[in-house]
Amino acid sequence: MKSELTRSCVLTLVWTNCGNIPWMIVESLVKHVKPFTDDPDGYYMRGFSYINIYGLPYTLMLWTVGYSYFVAGVKTEKRKSPAPSDEEAAVTTQPPPHSGSDVELRRVAAGAPEAETVATAAEAASDQSAGLVAASPAKAPSKGNLWWRFVGATLAWWERHGAAILRLCSPQNASVIIGLVIGLVPFTNRLVVQDAGKLHFVWDITRSLGSPCVTVSNIVLGASLSRGPQASSVGRALLAAHVVLKLVVAPALSMAVAVGAKWAGLVPLDPMFFFVMGVESAVPSAVVLVMLSQVFQVGRTTIPTIQFWHIIVSLLTLTFWTVLSLKIATLQW
């Protein structure tokens, strides 16, 4: 239980909802707040780009490192499966009455001297054969043997690292890479993304299929909290410390770094850039973690509980950090 709680706290602290929530805020911002209303389309496209660039490492890390962290939790739970009781072990290991193994044991026990003689002769024969093998000259490995050694070494390397490579090429990461290629290459951008492109229908279909993702995630979150948020599964003190660290301390540190970088001229003076950087650090943890917890049966109670309180408290904290980010982003430096 302790390792499961640790994994839940680490996962919900690291991976944030860095996509949907900032998108909605930026979309509303460019329609109602100056100076973003001066060029709503331009600010919206830049905000959309900043959000995707910010979330790209999160997506890749979630489906590689985060996935491995979940799988390690599954293996830990399997190793912690209860051992059989003494009665069950006795029933399992005791041979049935009058079985062949019982008769064999009695026969060997009755002829113990004979068995010792046979064992001694077998040991002498094995020593003699070992001496003959040691005395024979070593043969140089043939090309066929070298080939099979290479194949064996390759298979052993794949057995150690193949799972990580496959996770890196998972459908989630592959979709991110394909999306980047389509959006960054001018030819594919004109062909798929722009409205006049001949394959723009693929873009529309992809957006339509991905739109219900948020709704499905919220349904899973609600189903996992059907018995209510069980704060006792996490501990009230630990839950409060986790919420403060995630929604208060982390945004404050990120805001301080962003202000220092902007004051030193290390980041663009674009107000949308600074606003997105301030809001991204204040959003709650990713809802997709709840779906993964149900799939892998790790943190099924603790992760939804932490996620629930993140969402409730972020109604206040996210409002505060959004207003503060907006004020600082629109300052004249």
Side-chain angles (χ1 to χ4, degrees), residues 99-110:
S99 64
S101 60
D102 191 15
V103 174
E104 184 67 20
L105 288 174
R106 291 178 183 176
R107 186 184 65 78
V108 172

Side-chain angles (χ1 to χ4, degrees), residues 35-36 43 46 262 268-276 325 329-330:
F36 304 107
Y43 276 114
R46 289 202 295 275
K262 186 172 184 179
L269 295 179
D270 183 5
M272 180 59 73
F273 174 85
F274 188 81
F275 177 78
V276 169
S325 300
T330 54

Side-chain angles (χ1 to χ4, degrees), residues 144-165:
N145 290 337
L146 290 175
W147 165 253
W148 286 114
R149 287 182 185 179
F150 171 75
V151 171
T154 304
L155 293 176
W157 180 88
W158 178 259
E159 185 176 356
R160 289 193 302 269
H161 306 287
I165 295 175

Side-chain angles (χ1 to χ4, degrees), residues 186-208:
F187 172 74
T188 54
N189 188 301
R190 292 192 301 269
L191 189 65
V192 178
V193 180
Q194 296 183 12
D195 295 337
K198 295 182 179 179
L199 296 180
H200 184 71
F201 69 92
V202 177
W203 177 268
D204 292 333
I205 292 173
T206 306
R207 293 186 61 180
S208 299

Side-chain angles (χ1 to χ4, degrees), residues 19-105:
N20 296 312
I21 294 179
W23 283 340
M24 292 185 290
I25 296 175
V26 167
E27 187 175 5
S28 176
L29 195 70
V30 298
K31 296 178 181 178
H32 303 96
V33 180
K34 282 187 171 294
F36 304 107
T37 53
D38 298 337
D39 184 16
D41 294 335
Y43 276 114
Y44 178 78
M45 292 305 297
R46 289 202 295 275
F48 187 80
S49 301
Y50 295 148
I51 292 170
N52 280 279
I53 293 172
Y54 187 95
L56 178 61
Y58 277 94
T59 303
L60 296 176
M61 294 294 288
L62 175 60
W63 296 108
T64 52
V65 179
Y67 183 88
S68 301
Y69 204 52
F70 265 112
V71 172
V74 175
K75 294 179 180 179
T76 302
E77 294 301 319
K78 288 182 179 180
R79 287 197 300 268
K80 289 183 178 179
S81 58
S85 60
D86 295 338
E87 295 180 358
E88 293 176 350
V91 171
T92 304
T93 56
Q94 184 178 2
H98 306 294
S99 64
S101 60
D102 191 15
V103 174
E104 184 67 20
L105 288 174

Side-chain angles (χ1 to χ4, degrees), residues 115-127:
E116 291 178 2
T117 304
V118 173
T120 304
E123 289 176 2
S126 63
D127 292 341

Side-chain angles (χ1 to χ4, degrees), residues 259-317:
V259 169
K262 186 172 184 179
W263 179 77
L266 300 177
V267 295
L269 295 179
D270 183 5
M272 180 59 73
F273 174 85
F274 188 81
F275 177 78
V276 169
M277 294 301 103
V279 171
E280 286 284 10
S281 61
V283 294
S285 56
V287 182
V288 70
L289 295 175
V290 179
M291 302 178 65
L292 293 178
S293 69
Q294 305 302 316
V295 171
F296 292 106
Q297 304 295 306
V298 175
R300 290 176 296 172
T301 304
T302 53
I303 289 181
T305 299
I306 296 173
Q307 176 71 28
F308 173 82
W309 288 109
H310 276 188
I311 294 174
I312 296 298
V313 177
S314 66
L315 295 176
L316 300 176
T317 58

